[in-house]
Amino acid sequence: MTATLPSPTKAKPTTRRLSVVLVVLGAAALMAVANAAGLFAFAIDLLVYRMGGEALLHDFPLYTRQLPGTLLVFTYPPFAAVMMVPLAALPLQVATVTWSTISLLSLLLVWRLCLPQVKPPYLLALTLIAFVLEPVWLTFSLGQINLLLMAMILADLCRADGSRMRGFWVGVAIGIKLTPLVFLALLVVTRQWKALRNAVLGVLATVAVGFAAAPKESWEYWTESVSNPERLGGIAYTSNQSINGFLLRFGGDYNHWRPLWFLLAATTGLLLLWLSRRLWLTGDRLGSVSVCAMAAIYASPVSWSHHWVWIIPLGVTLVRRAYARWGMPWAAVIGVLWFGLFVARPIWWVPNTNDRELDWTFWQAIPGNSYLLGGIAGLAVLTVLVVKTRPAERTG
């Protein structure tokens, strides 16, 4: 009598589903322990997000109400407030654990997209090790949304060209936070017309949802607030590692520096868009999307240090290409210097807050602007590595 064994092809989906459930439960348990230890006690941005959801739940003003004890207001598109309604409805501690779990799973997905050949245990280890990177740690400690947006965009744009509704989630990300608008330019210069159409549909869908949920606030946001970067406040703060922040730390107001900022931001954005296109044509989607994200970080009026979570896929791209061109020793050096910068956090070594940045000496300005300067150095190295690479024929 012959025993009947279960079909491997039928067992695989069940095993994968079980693995996903275990990972989610493990992530939630880890974040619950971290929250109980007080690691997320200062998740002030999560409080702001919840305030946006509460405004819709209880008919409070969306853009003028301040978080109690602070001057912070909700600054995101109306759709972001709609997305935060479930978090606002939960008790604070439950919402904190839920939101942190989403960020942790997003970080794990990012590593999976960066290193698809690496085995899951090592990906889990990299996910935990990444907490030593200042942008990652600050994203968790403040309750920020950066890791979720990065995972959404990478997962969407790194899919095969023929994937269903590819580009739509980029549009949704734009509806949550405007900085991903730069990815529309990437879709244009790489002639990804279907993905561009889907992204525009995603944006329009979020705008429509916002108007349906809060028509008055939506009109206010899209006609007034969206064009006023000073609504964010304190943009000379050392954490603002954008070109605009760099200029404002010399003194003067936003209007004083606006012409020069616009010129530098536009030039930098175009150069990085060129590099992003070049990477895309060589088949390096991860590198292309990462460089495009850096264009947004440099050109945006405000790019807080926690926005720099894109250093992970960009760093992987740098190391991978350095290894292919120059070998392991140089790849190791570049990796240590790149990731080491964000472990060392030199932007916090110098006087900051209360406009003390305006009194920096030349030698204080170097570490105080080190993310911006180090990013330029890394992108310059990547340009050297890419410029002689022959563009591949597009297949989609």
Side-chain angles (χ1 to χ4, degrees), residues 34-219:
N35 184 58
L39 298 183
F40 307 137
F42 192 67
I44 196 166
D45 287 319
L46 175 59
L47 298 181
V48 173
Y49 298 156
R50 280 168 50 87
M51 185 173 68
E54 289 169 356
L56 299 187
L57 280 176
H58 305 293
D59 200 25
F60 295 147
L62 181 57
Y63 292 111
T64 57
R65 183 175 175 232
Q66 294 179 342
L67 187 68
T70 75
L71 298 177
L72 297 175
V73 296
F74 191 81
T75 59
Y76 298 85
F79 178 75
V82 175
M83 196 181 82
M84 296 301 164
V85 167
L87 289 178
L90 292 171
L92 177 58
Q93 298 304 317
V94 177
T96 301
V97 172
T98 301
W99 189 239
S100 302
T101 301
I102 291 171
S103 290
L104 184 61
L105 294 173
S106 298
L107 180 57
L108 177 60
L109 176 58
V110 168
W111 279 114
R112 179 74 178 85
L113 293 168
C114 290
L115 302 168
Q117 305 305 320
V118 173
K119 294 181 179 180
Y122 297 109
L123 293 176
L124 291 170
L126 285 171
T127 300
L128 297 179
I129 291 170
F131 273 74
V132 302
L133 300 170
E134 189 263 359
V136 172
W137 170 246
L138 207 55
T139 291
F140 277 94
S141 63
L142 294 177
Q144 261 287 340
I145 197 171
N146 308 301
L147 291 167
L148 174 59
L149 294 180
M150 177 168 62
M152 287 173 60
I153 293 166
L154 281 174
D156 195 14
L157 293 185
C158 291
R159 290 190 292 163
D161 288 343
S163 301
R164 186 177 181 183
M165 292 301 291
R166 181 174 168 276
F168 181 82
W169 293 105
V170 169
V172 173
I174 294 169
I176 297 171
K177 192 173 185 178
L178 295 181
T179 46
L181 273 167
V182 69
F183 294 103
L184 298 184
L186 173 62
L187 296 177
V188 170
V189 298
T190 52
R191 301 189 178 192
Q192 300 179 68
W193 306 122
K194 289 183 179 179
L196 177 63
R197 176 203 64 193
N198 294 337
V200 171
L201 289 175
V203 175
L204 294 177
T206 65
V207 173
V209 170
F211 268 99
K216 181 182 176 182
E217 289 81 359
S218 293
W219 179 259

Side-chain angles (χ1 to χ4, degrees), residues 49 75-77 144-147 149-150 153 170-186 203 221-222 226 229 231-232 240 242 261 289-304 306-310:
Y49 298 156
T75 59
Y76 298 85
Q144 261 287 340
I145 197 171
N146 308 301
L147 291 167
L149 294 180
M150 177 168 62
I153 293 166
V170 169
V172 173
I174 294 169
I176 297 171
K177 192 173 185 178
L178 295 181
T179 46
L181 273 167
V182 69
F183 294 103
L184 298 184
L186 173 62
V203 175
Y221 181 84
W222 294 110
V226 70
R231 74 191 190 278
L232 300 170
N240 183 12
S242 68
W261 164 72
V289 175
S290 303
V291 169
C292 189
M294 295 304 295
I297 287 173
Y298 276 102
S300 174
V302 179
S303 294
W304 304 125
H306 51 72
H307 295 162
W308 283 69
V309 290
W310 287 92

